Amino acid sequence: MATRAVDPPPIPSPPPDQEAGPLLEDADAAFAIGDYARSAMLAGRALGAAGRNKAESEQARALLFHGRALLALGQPGAAIPVLNKALRCHADAVTGASVHLVLGRCHIAVDDAGAALAQWSRVMDSDLPAEALDLSAEACVHIGEVYLKYRDADNAFQYYDLACELAQDDELCVRAHVGLAGTLIGMNRPLMARAALRVAEERLQLPHHMAWQGQIQHHLGTLSMASGDLGLAEAHFRTALALHMDTCNSAGQAQALLALGQLAERQGDSATAERDLLRAAMLADTLSTPRLNSDIHFALSQLYEVRGDMTHATAHYLEYHTHYQRANGRDRRGGVSNRRLAAIEMRLKLLTSEIELSQLRQESDAGRERMLQLEQAAYRDALTGVHNRRALTDYLPDLLSAAEQTHTPLSMLLIDFDHFKQVNDEFSHAIGDAVLREAARLFSQTLTPEDLLLRYGGEEFALVLPHADQQQAVDTAEALRLRVAAFDWELLAPGLVVTISVGCAQFHPGDNTEILLSRADLALYLAKRSGRDRVAVEPAP
């Protein structure tokens, strides 16, 4: 049964003798103790009083408090026009920046990351006094969270790093350093991550920051797991789970259970892994967290595949694929890959350079490593000589855009070598590398000048076929498969046999890189699930 949307609290007319100032103080106090409905009601009365007195600055604050309360009540759609009205009032820089901050959070709540980044960039553009720099720090934290969500570690690092420099409030400082630690873990910088977590722990004020303590424990568990101390990792994850349960943080509980399930699987305890992962899935299914859902179902799929339970493995892989598409499908409306966000990102870079972030970036280890990677890796894979994954990231969006604008087909193949680990184990990694080099040569012999062949990772290759419909892609894939099967691999090592599985996906209008890749990956999974050494296409929608 459909649930009727709850109407926002009405804005009552104030008694004629009430002033806006005391009402705003009461509204702020009610918000601080979590009485959001009362805060919205008092802010509405303050707005009426400010309007009667034609005090625009108080009108702006009243609208800010009313919009903030509506967001807290779970009504971001209702809050957005209220906050936009606040921006039309003549208010001081601090009030204006506060409005932009809350507006950004509203846009995130309705899955419009582009609009959110635009609002937070305006906070950074505000001429704020020194005592209000926490507003800029909070904007940086929010921007870092968006980039981290889309797994752009370089940009997340930059904004979290700046937030750490600017933050004065204890909770904001904790948020900034916890976010920075999570980013550094993703960049494989464990020592720097631990240093950031130590700073966060020093600024913690319990019990007020208990939720952040749970996230700190989760990060410490991840670091311990990476270093091989599985006992300590489990202790940290269980502490994180308990803290998230105490604070009723369902998403945190699901993340902790996912980590515990993956840890149990690594320790060979399949039954415990299954129990924790299924609990994580039940929690995540009640939340709007498609990325977390996709991670959980992927872990379950791998667990059941190792057991040989292909029915459950396939079911969870399909769930993973559905949530993965849902998460990346949001890029079409408000993700970080469209032209609008490219312009916003450029503006953010200009703004941050104005406050000397460029110097911080150049001096940071992450910045130096990024520059070194760009200089050394460029767009070629060192082992095979074909394009590398960075070429896919940079070239494919333009190819997809051209296909959509010209209404021409485009297809993608994902190619995986069957049982490649056995090749490395039985014949040596040197022979495995030789197989990849020879296969790249064989693949290249079938290409047209406009095709894009690249090594996607490990033993996986991707082949982008502009102007190729699904049948043409299948024909190309089958030709590659037969060419590999017919090659005399015993020239490399006696007894060596090599086959490939290929997944085919066709571009659909509106697809971005992640979505097309996920559908090709699903097709590849089906090819391997059906016995390997074959070609499969994505299932019909």
Side-chain angles (χ1 to χ4, degrees):
M1 180 182 295
T3 303
R4 187 173 65 87
V6 178
D7 294 330
I11 299 178
S13 299
D17 58 341
Q18 281 191 296
E19 296 295 328
L23 287 167
L24 288 171
E25 291 178 4
D26 290 345
D28 202 23
F31 189 89
I33 63 173
D35 192 347
Y36 305 129
R38 178 171 172 76
S39 180
M41 181 269 293
L42 291 168
R45 289 182 178 175
L47 178 61
R52 175 166 50 82
N53 296 326
K54 298 182 179 179
E56 281 206 68
S57 62
E58 290 184 331
Q59 287 180 4
R61 289 183 63 213
L63 289 163
L64 166 62
F65 287 3
H66 193 239
R68 181 182 66 176
L70 290 175
L71 174 61
L73 289 167
Q75 302 176 50
I80 289 173
V82 173
L83 295 165
N84 281 328
K85 186 175 180 181
L87 293 176
R88 294 194 289 271
C89 298
H90 293 291
D92 59 271
V94 173
T95 300
S98 300
V99 173
H100 286 303
L101 270 176
V102 181
L103 257 177
R105 289 164 51 203
C106 289
H107 286 299
I108 283 293
V110 296
D111 296 324
D112 191 348
L117 287 182
Q119 294 296 331
W120 294 326
S121 72
R122 293 189 179 100
V123 178
M124 298 175 65
D125 203 16
S126 302
D127 186 14
L128 296 172
E131 62 270 18
L133 284 180
D134 274 343
L135 294 174
S136 293
E138 186 173 352
C140 287
V141 168
H142 286 313
I143 293 168
E145 288 170 348
V146 171
Y147 280 121
L148 190 60
K149 173 184 175 182
Y150 287 95
R151 299 176 182 176
D152 184 345
D154 290 334
N155 277 311
F157 173 83
Q158 293 163 10
Y159 291 102
Y160 277 129
D161 192 33
L162 181 58
C164 292
E165 293 286 330
L166 296 176
Q168 299 170 356
D169 174 76
D170 281 330
E171 182 174 1
L172 192 56
C173 182
V174 170
R175 286 177 62 191
H177 281 88
V178 170
L180 181 63
T183 304
L184 289 166
I185 289 172
M187 299 171 73
N188 196 26
R189 302 303 300 270
L191 295 179
M192 293 176 67
R194 288 186 184 277
L197 291 173
R198 281 196 295 272
V199 174
E201 288 183 306
E202 289 170 2
R203 297 292 290 269
L204 276 175
Q205 292 187 7
L206 299 175
H208 304 297
H209 299 162
M210 190 177 293
W212 293 108
Q213 175 70 353
Q215 193 60 49
I216 289 171
Q217 289 295 317
H218 189 97
H219 285 331
L220 288 171
T222 303
L223 289 166
S224 298
M225 192 169 175
S227 66
D229 192 340
L230 303 188
L232 184 57
E234 182 178 1
H236 282 306
F237 288 140
R238 293 205 177 281
T239 302
L241 178 60
L243 288 165
H244 289 314
M245 291 176 69
D246 288 343
T247 56
C248 300
N249 182 348
S250 297
Q253 293 175 55
Q255 288 176 329
L257 287 165
L258 168 61
L260 285 167
Q262 292 172 322
L263 180 61
E265 185 179 11
R266 181 169 170 179
Q267 293 173 316
D269 188 349
S270 177
T272 299
E274 180 182 24
R275 182 199 65 197
D276 288 340
L277 291 173
L278 288 174
R279 286 177 62 196
M282 289 178 62
L283 277 169
D285 284 344
T286 67
L287 307 170
S288 179
T289 53
R291 290 184 184 275
L292 177 58
N293 286 70
S294 67
D295 289 343
I296 293 169
H297 285 289
F298 185 74
L300 280 164
S301 173
Q302 289 186 313
L303 174 71
Y304 287 121
E305 185 170 356
V306 170
R307 281 189 186 177
D309 184 349
M310 302 312 296
T311 300
H312 282 93
T314 302
H316 283 287
Y317 194 89
L318 292 172
E319 283 291 322
Y320 151 75
H321 181 259
T322 299
H323 289 293
Y324 187 87
Q325 277 199 307
R326 188 174 301 156
N328 290 285
R330 291 179 179 179
D331 291 352
R332 299 183 199 175
R333 280 193 298 154
V336 294
S337 62
N338 55 35
R339 290 184 180 178
R340 181 185 181 199
L341 278 188
I344 293 170
E345 184 176 333
M346 180 61 69
R347 183 164 181 256
L348 284 169
K349 289 180 179 178
L350 292 173
L351 291 171
T352 51
S353 67
E354 290 173 4
I355 52 179
E356 300 181 344
L357 180 60
S358 60
Q359 182 178 354
L360 291 173
R361 284 200 295 248
Q362 291 170 2
E363 292 176 354
S364 68
D365 288 339
R368 286 198 297 269
E369 288 186 2
R370 177 65 173 161
M371 290 173 62
L372 187 61
Q373 289 171 358
L374 289 172
E375 291 171 359
Q376 292 181 346
Y379 293 109
R380 290 286 172 181
D381 175 57
L383 175 65
T384 63
V386 301
H387 286 96
N388 58 19
R389 190 166 183 165
R390 183 174 291 119
L392 183 73
T393 302
D394 287 359
Y395 296 158
L396 185 56
D398 290 339
L399 293 174
L400 299 184
S401 178
E404 185 154 13
Q405 291 174 9
T406 60
H407 305 288
T408 55
L410 178 144
S411 296
M412 170 177 282
L413 309 182
L414 272 186
I415 306 163
D416 188 67
F417 287 78
D418 300 326
H419 306 297
F420 192 74
K421 185 177 184 299
Q422 294 180 13
V423 174
N424 285 329
D425 291 345
E426 295 179 15
F427 295 93
S428 80
H429 285 274
I431 294 299
D433 288 348
V435 168
L436 296 179
R437 284 193 295 268
E438 185 60 36
R441 186 187 67 81
L442 292 173
F443 296 158
S444 298
Q445 292 174 352
T446 68
L447 300 185
T448 68
E450 60 185 3
D451 295 339
L452 177 63
L453 173 67
L454 55 100
R455 186 181 177 196
Y456 186 62
E459 69 272 20
E460 280 193 343
F461 287 75
L463 178 57
V464 182
L465 302 169
H467 305 294
D469 59 23
Q470 188 175 78
Q471 186 56 55
Q472 291 170 319
V474 169
D475 292 343
T476 300
E478 186 64 19
L480 294 177
R481 187 190 69 82
L482 293 173
R483 183 178 288 266
V484 169
F487 184 77
D488 186 4
W489 293 101
E490 291 200 357
L491 294 173
L492 299 181
L496 177 62
V497 176
V498 177
T499 60
I500 59 173
S501 297
V502 187
C504 303
Q506 186 171 5
F507 169 74
H508 299 309
D511 282 354
N512 58 28
T513 298
E514 294 290 345
I515 291 174
L516 183 59
L517 275 170
S518 72
R519 290 196 284 102
D521 187 56
L522 176 59
L524 175 59
Y525 178 83
L526 294 175
K528 294 163 70 174
R529 172 71 178 82
S530 301
R532 295 183 169 86
D533 190 19
R534 66 195 60 221
V535 174
V537 298
E538 57 181 315

